[in-house]
């Protein structure tokens, strides 16, 4: 949880300019997370980024970003008050600093709750001090003229205190003490000047938010005749919520939730549709608790199912709103689950509409709704879901066969309210083992996990509801005992621990057409893994009201078949091993524990022994395109590396593609070292430290990045990811490479008649200096800009990079200097921290104290970065990075990609101590 001290430090640091002159800061409309528009100050994006990063300490990045998208997309300039209504109890006002920090936190991420406060304890203190005993009837304060006079003064004072505390933190707030609630007398004879709300004018609230200020309301109302009336703050908050229909209604109290009257345990979740009647009969639910539950049920019955009520403490507001586990007591209408054995029992028209709206294969035109329904009728199945059909799961289970989850279609509400997890739990209760499949590209990128026909399934609406996505690829891995990924598709299962049994099941499923492609033989996979807090392994709310239970989705690490990287011996063919890079790669392969070099092709060296490979005796051959096609058809090798000049690899790759069509295992892995496929659809760009490992693990075609481009992208990555590179302004990278980077040409034969190669740019030709070349339009400009653009927010201007290379008189090693204009003022220490955070777990990246020199990169396996500087005007950063162009710039990175694609440990054969 974010502490008050942390929030205070952030608020003070990020709002210093606002405190000095907040009224001078311009208010403007900006694009919010998820594409929604919100009103905020010119400093808001800086604040938002800082607070968002802090949020990651209370939950996973996935959770935080999902809830930010959901909440931000709930508001629109025409109806800006749909995020949340927060009712602040009088006792909470005594913790003013904590309350102000929590509300300021929301303001700084672009969220504008409507805040309404009471002042009961403060009012009682003043009344008692005046010698008046507070009088109540049916829990309602009897209000005479003197009590109302005191109440008005107390409400105004407490309102202004909260507004002042917020503005002290740089958060704009507007006191609204009248003009919102219109009321009639509740019962003038019995209760005096107490009102029953009859009308709400939301215009003052919406005007405040449009002006970029939090609306702070009191629970005083006015009659049509102008008489001020006292209104219970809980009731006022409920009536306000009915009018605004927000996603969240939050009641802040000092206890932080509702508690079981017998066990004393805090109630995590109350699903009213399932549990209300039973709770109201419990002996410990009485008086105030019973009244509160009744009022909340009445409130939620009037609101969309996506709305919920949270009862929490002020200090837990962030955790409640931005994590799946929450902090206080969440009360929602809930979802009564069903399971039926036929389409008719669910309702054919209702199910047809769900499939039409959410099934990705239907939306993409691959299948029709009628086709999906006809498939369901052919095989015994059970349909699971909730009464609102916010989630529908279908399990196919012919007698005596392993069950397959063929569909799991969730709406935004189904994800937001964790219905998808409850439906999956119901499925797991009925089926002790289960298989399902997912496209890893969709699961990892769009956030919607898509399953292919006939096992076609999706999580989250498959159209534009990325904000509702339940956890991307991690959702599946967390619920599986095992998984296997091949060619962009993953197979998941639970309930089977023996890998031989898994293969037997898969054979049977493939034979009977219940899964659509070959997953045999089963090999390793590596899901995108993340740690979860030890106190709640799932990060999900328990389904039970009365006790917190661990969900079935406990994080399981890397799945049964993938828990240990593969050690299976495999064979590699290298096409074009004559140059510097080919020689370097063969040297590394000599130390690889599992991968053996079986074929090395070079037209000039055919018949000569390969000299720098020590594991086995290998002789150069001259493989033709026909030879390569035949080898691929017969599976003679497991992987190919193309170490050919630009433009020369295509005939060989085409031959491999043609040969792979006759194989049932998807064919061999291909890694290309040239620039030919770095922009090609269907190829994975293999820079693991920046773009992740999972796509490489799932790919059969990997394009190895260029040496200069690798260093340039690693230099720019942290700045681009955190929005520090000014859109439309081109950063510059100046690079100097050893002469080996210029390649080789044929040389004279050696005394044995063996052809040799020599450097295309001999060092003596440089006369001890450097030679700039390709001063504009170098291919690495396009390469770096294209792939870095994937780190930008959707809709951003594509990235451009200016790159100027030079060749230097040393053999190998690149030093690159980045000069990047910034979007906001930062310090050098802040820049360094971004790199340390982004690359802290990377074995081949080294962050240096000083400026990297040639000795730090030449002959080293990884990339080094340092020399973090910011211009005196703090608007331009300079960072220096370096690598060996033959190692991390080529051969080492190639071996990383081979290892990942073949299921080995990523660093097998790579000496990490160099």
């Amino acid at each position: 949880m974010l502490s008050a001290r942390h929030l205070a430090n952030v608020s003070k640091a990020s709002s210093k300019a606002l405190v000095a002159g907040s009224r001078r800061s311009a208010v403007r409309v900006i694009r919010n997370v998820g594409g929604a528009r919100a009103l905020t100050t010119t400093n808001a994006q800086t604040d938002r980024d800082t607070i968002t990063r802090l949020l990651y300490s209370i939950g996973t990045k996935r959770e935080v970003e999902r809830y930010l998208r959901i909440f931000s997309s709930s508001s629109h300039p025409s109806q800006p008050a749909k995020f949340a209504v927060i009712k602040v109890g009088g006792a909470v006002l005594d913790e003013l600093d904590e309350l102000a920090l929590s509300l300021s936190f929301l303001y700084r991420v672009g969220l504008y709750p409507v805040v309404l406060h009471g002042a009961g304890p403060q009012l009682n203190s003043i009344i008692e001090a005046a010698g008046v005993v507070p009088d109540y009837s049916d829990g309602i304060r009897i209000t005479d003229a003197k009590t109302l006079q005191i109440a008005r003064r107390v409400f105004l004072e407490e309102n202004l205190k909260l507004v002042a505390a917020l503005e002290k933190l740089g958060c704009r707030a507007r006191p609204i003490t009248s003009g919102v609630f219109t009321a009639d007398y509740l019962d003038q004879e019995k209760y005096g000047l107490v009102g029953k709300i009859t009308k709400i004018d939301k215009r003052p609230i919406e005007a405040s938010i449009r002006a970029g200020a939090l609306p702070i309301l009191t629970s005083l109302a006015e009659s049509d005749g102008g008489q001020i009336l006292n209104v219970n703050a809980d009731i006022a908050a409920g009536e306000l919520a009915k009018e605004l229909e927000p996603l969240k209604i939050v009641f802040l109290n000092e206890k932080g939730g509702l508690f079981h009257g017998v066990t004393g345990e805090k109630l995590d979740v109350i699903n009213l549709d399932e549990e209300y009647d039973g709770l109201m009969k419990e002996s410990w639910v009485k008086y105030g608790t019973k009244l509160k539950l009744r009022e909340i049920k009445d409130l939620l019955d009037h609101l969309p199912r996506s709305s919920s009520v949270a009862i929490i403490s002020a200090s837990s507001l962030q955790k409640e709103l931005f994590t799946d586990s929450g902090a206080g007591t969440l009360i929602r209408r809930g979802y009564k689950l069903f399971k039926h054995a036929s389409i008719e029992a669910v309702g054919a028209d209702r199910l047809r509409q769900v499939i039409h709206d959410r099934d990705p294969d239907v939306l993409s035109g691959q299948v029709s709704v009628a086709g999906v329904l006809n498939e369901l009728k052919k095989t015994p199945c059970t349909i699971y879901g909730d009464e609102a059909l916010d989630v529908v799961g279908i399990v196919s289970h012919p007698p005596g066969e392993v069950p397959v989850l063929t569909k799991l279609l969730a709406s935004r509400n189904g994800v937001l309210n964790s219905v998808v997890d409850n439906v999956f739990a119901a499925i797991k209760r009925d089926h002790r083992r289960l298989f399902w499949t997912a496209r890893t590209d969709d699961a990892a990128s769009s956030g919607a996990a898509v399953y292919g026909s006939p096992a076609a399934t999706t999580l989250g609406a498959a159209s534009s509801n990325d904000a509702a996505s339940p956890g991307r690829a991690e959702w599946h891995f967390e619920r599986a005992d095992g998984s296997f990924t091949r060619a962009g598709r993953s197979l998941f299962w639970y309930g089977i621990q023996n890998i031989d049994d898994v293969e037997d099941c898969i054979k049977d499923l493939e034979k009977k057409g219940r899964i659509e492609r070959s997953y045999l033989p089963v090999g390793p996979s590596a899901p995108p893994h993340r740690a979860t807090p030890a106190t709640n392994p799932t990060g999900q709310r328990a389904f039970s009201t009365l006790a917190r239970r661990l969900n079935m989705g406990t994080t399981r690490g890397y799945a049964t078949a993938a828990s240990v990287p593969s050690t299976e011996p495999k064979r590699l063919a290298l096409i074009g091993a004559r140059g510097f890079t080919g020689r370097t790669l063969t040297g590394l392969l000599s130390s690889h524990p599992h991968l053996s070099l079986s074929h090395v092709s070079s037209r000039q060296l055919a018949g000569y022994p390969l000299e720098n490979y020590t594991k086995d005796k290998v002789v150069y051959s001259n493989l033709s395109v026909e030879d390569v096609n035949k080898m691929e058809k017969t599976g003679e090798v497991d992987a190919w590396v193309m170490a050919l000049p630009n433009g020369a690899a295509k005939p060989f790759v085409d031959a491999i593609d043609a040969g792979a069509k006759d194989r049932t295992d998807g064919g061999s892995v291909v890694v290309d070292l040239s620039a030919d496929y770095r922009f090609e659809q269907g190829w994975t760009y293999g820079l693991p430290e920046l773009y992740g490992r999972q796509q490489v693990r799932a790919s059969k075609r990997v394009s190895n990045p260029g040496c200069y481009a690798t260093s340039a992208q690693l230099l720019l990555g942290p700045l681009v990811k955190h929005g520090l590179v000014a859109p439309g302004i081109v950063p510059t990278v100046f690079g100097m490479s050893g002469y080996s980077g210029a390649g080789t040409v044929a040389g004279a034969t050696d005394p044995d008649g063996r052809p040799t190669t020599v450097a295309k740019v001999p060092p003596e030709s440089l006369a001890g200096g450097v030679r700039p070349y390709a001063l504009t339009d170098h291919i690495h400009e396009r390469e770096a800009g294209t792939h870095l653009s994937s780190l930008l927010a959707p809709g951003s201007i594509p990235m451009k990079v200016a790159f100027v290379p030079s060749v230097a008189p040393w053999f190998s090693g690149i030093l690159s200097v980045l000069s990047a204009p910034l979007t906001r003022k930062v310090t050098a220490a802040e820049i360094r921290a971004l790199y340390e955070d982004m690359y802290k777990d990377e074995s081949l990246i080294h962050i240096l104290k000083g400026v990297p020199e040639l000795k730090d990169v030449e002959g080293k396996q990884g990339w080094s970065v340092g020399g973090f500087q910011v211009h005196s005007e703090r608007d331009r950063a300079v960072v220096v990075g370096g690598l060996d162009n033959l190692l991390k710039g080529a051969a080492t990175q190639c071996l990383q990609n081979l290892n990942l694609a073949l299921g080995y440990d990523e660093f097998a054969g790579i000496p990490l101590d160099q």
Side-chain angles (χ1 to χ4, degrees), residues 816-845:
S816 301
V817 182
L818 165 68
S819 176
L822 302 175
T823 56
R824 58 182 182 271
K825 296 183 183 299
V826 296
T827 65
E830 290 171 325
I831 293 291
R832 181 186 178 90
L834 294 180
Y835 286 77
E836 289 176 337
D837 179 66
M838 187 162 179
Y839 297 133
K840 62 179 180 295
D841 297 323
E842 295 297 343
S843 299
L844 292 179
I845 291 184

Side-chain angles (χ1 to χ4, degrees), residues 6-19 43 46-47 50 108 168-169 830 874:
H6 281 142
L7 281 173
N9 290 338
V10 171
S11 294
K12 290 175 183 176
S14 59
S15 62
K16 188 177 292 184
L18 289 174
V19 173
N43 282 8
T46 301
D47 293 345
T50 303
R108 293 181 186 286
K168 184 179 179 181
L169 296 174
E830 290 171 325
R874 297 173 61 193

